[in-house]
């Protein structure tokens, strides 16, 4: 299978490229990027061809593309790829508006191409085990959920709203909302949120506290922020706790790590030893394209997760709960 990567603006592009190299029968045949220096360096790093425009890459003989651009560019790039009959794995959030996401899904359906949303947390081994426990009803009926996703401020275009579409709440809510929907098979009907800026001097949110109500009555809280200092391990705070009628379950997506304390560089670091969740995502996408099946994480999944984050902004601005249809 021949795969291309459209833009290396998002840091996950490097991880996905590493993962493609590990999958049998897959060739990374090219990289496109409007930033010529970044794109050409990435192409050199991964021993592939650099294309100055997306159109040049899409004109090649390839089966699928992975889109890792700035968030606001996802819509145009997904539609361009779909019109070129290429299957698509799109970095999260899928878009920055419900209207854009809806159009992306529609065009991909019209063109008969796969649109998968990049939610690698589903492929974390602790989350996989949690899913199995829920399916076995080990804690009875779930009545409440608590989750967190607190990381470092990534800087760059992430803190420019006209390119990202939002700050920490958008960046760090979609992953865990997707996990909640995946576990419960239920939709969220109401969102109440406090959104603010506490940790950096940028004109964009870096923290939010959300309360979610699901259609079946389950209540959830989600703590999303860019609150970790630069000296903290980059990952390690993506957690979820399920409260049931017969007990509780808790999972940490990055729990499987070795703690390293050093006198040079960062004093405290994590080294993960679990299977790479990004690799799980890439393997799943490749298999989906090979089998021409419905993706495990659809464009609609991406839309619903993004919708909750956008509702959180509306709730924070209006100081009232936001109902979702």
């Amino acid at each position: 299978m021949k795969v291309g990567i459209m833009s290396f603006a998002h840091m996950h592009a490097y991880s996905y490229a590493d993962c493609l190299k590990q999958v049998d029968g897959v060739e990374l045949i090219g990289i496109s990027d409007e930033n010529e220096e970044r794109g050409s360096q990435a192409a050199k790093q991964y021993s592939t061809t650099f294309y100055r425009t997306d159109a040049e890459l899409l004109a090649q003989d390839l089966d699928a593309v992975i889109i890792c651009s700035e968030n606001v560019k996802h819509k145009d790039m997904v539609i361009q790829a779909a019109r070129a009959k290429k299957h698509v794995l799109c970095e999260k959030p899928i878009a920055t508006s419900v209207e854009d996401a809806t159009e992306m899904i529609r065009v991909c359906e019209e063109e008969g191409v796969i649109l998968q949303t990049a939610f690698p947390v589903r492929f974390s081994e602790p989350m996989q085990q949690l899913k199995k426990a829920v399916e076995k009803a080990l804690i009875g009926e779930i009545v409440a959920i608590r989750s967190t996703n607190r990381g470092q401020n990534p800087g760059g275009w992430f803190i420019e709203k006209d390119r990202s579409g939002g700050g920490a709440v958008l960046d760090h809510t979609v992953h865990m909302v997707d996990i909640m929907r995946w576990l419960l098979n239920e939709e969220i009907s109401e969102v109440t949120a406090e959104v603010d800026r506490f940790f950096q001097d940028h004109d964009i949110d870096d923290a939010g506290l959300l309360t979610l109500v699901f259609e079946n009555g389950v209540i959830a809280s989600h703590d999303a922020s860019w609150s970790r200092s630069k000296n903290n391990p980059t990952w390690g705070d993506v957690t979820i706790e399920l409260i049931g009628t017969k007990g509780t379950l808790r999972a940490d997506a990055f729990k499987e790590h070795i703690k390293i304390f050093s006198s040079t560089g960062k004093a405290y670091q994590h080294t993960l030893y679990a299977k790479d969740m990004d690799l799980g995502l890439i393997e799943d996408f490749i298999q989906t394209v090979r089998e021409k099946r419905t993706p495990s994480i659809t464009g609609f999944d991406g839309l619903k997760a993004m919708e909750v984050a956008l509702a959180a902004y509306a709730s924070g601005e209006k100081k009232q709960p936001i109902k979702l249809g």
Side-chain angles (χ1 to χ4, degrees), residues 128-143:
Q128 292 275 317
Q129 294 297 322
L130 185 65
K131 175 70 169 174
K132 293 176 183 177
V134 169
E135 290 173 345
K136 294 177 181 178
L138 292 186
I139 59 170
E141 181 182 353
I142 297 171
V143 296

Side-chain angles (χ1 to χ4, degrees), residues 139 141-146 241-249:
I139 59 170
E141 181 182 353
I142 297 171
V143 296
I145 300 174
R146 294 190 297 186
E241 184 176 6
L242 309 179
I243 297 91
T245 54
K246 296 181 180 179
T248 63
L249 287 166

Side-chain angles (χ1 to χ4, degrees), residues 81-292:
R83 298 296 190 202
K85 302 295 186 181
K86 314 302 182 187
H87 301 293
V88 179
L89 174 64
C90 183
E91 183 55 59
K92 63 81 193 169
I94 189 171
T96 55
S97 75
V98 172
E99 293 77 16
D100 283 356
T102 300
E103 184 175 356
M104 293 158 67
I105 293 168
R106 177 184 60 79
V107 171
C108 287
E109 289 177 347
E110 286 179 355
E111 298 296 339
V113 301
I114 292 163
L115 173 58
Q116 182 162 334
T117 308
F119 282 140
V121 178
R122 285 204 199 185
F123 299 93
S124 157
E125 184 60 28
M127 295 299 170
Q128 292 275 317
Q129 294 297 322
L130 185 65
K131 175 70 169 174
K132 293 176 183 177
V134 169
E135 290 173 345
K136 294 177 181 178
L138 292 186
I139 59 170
E141 181 182 353
I142 297 171
V143 296
I145 300 174
R146 294 190 297 186
S147 70
T148 67
N149 189 353
R150 297 173 291 213
Q152 297 173 348
N153 186 330
W157 61 264
F158 283 88
I159 59 175
E160 299 173 16
K161 191 172 182 180
D162 61 338
R163 301 170 76 190
S164 66
V169 168
L170 180 59
D171 190 34
H172 279 185
T173 291
V174 291
H175 279 301
M176 297 315 293
V177 166
D178 178 66
I179 293 297
M180 293 181 207
R181 293 181 62 253
W182 179 55
L183 293 173
L184 295 180
N185 291 314
E186 293 283 344
E187 298 296 354
I188 294 166
S189 59
E190 184 178 289
V191 179
T192 306
E194 292 285 342
V195 179
D196 213 327
R197 183 180 72 249
F198 295 104
F199 305 102
Q200 292 90 25
D201 187 22
H202 301 299
D203 189 24
I204 200 165
D205 61 285
D206 60 20
L209 186 60
L210 286 62
T211 301
L212 314 173
V213 180
F214 283 81
E215 290 178 351
N216 66 348
V218 171
I219 297 175
S221 69
H222 178 59
D223 181 353
S225 72
W226 289 334
S227 56
R228 282 177 160 248
S229 73
K230 291 182 178 180
N231 290 324
N232 275 69
T234 303
W235 309 115
D237 195 5
V238 178
T239 70
I240 186 167
E241 184 176 6
L242 309 179
I243 297 91
T245 54
K246 296 181 180 179
T248 63
L249 287 166
R250 188 177 189 276
D252 181 339
F254 295 101
K255 185 67 174 179
E256 298 171 308
H257 64 258
I258 298 170
K259 296 180 179 179
I260 300 176
F261 298 89
S262 175
S263 58
T264 60
K266 282 190 176 183
Y268 173 37
Q269 301 178 64
H270 288 171
T271 297
L272 298 175
Y273 60 80
K275 179 179 178 179
D276 186 348
M277 66 178 76
D278 287 351
L279 178 58
L281 171 71
I282 294 302
E283 288 176 334
D284 180 75
F285 175 63
I286 295 301
Q287 195 65 22
T288 297
V289 173
R290 282 176 171 159
E291 297 178 1
K292 300 296 188 291

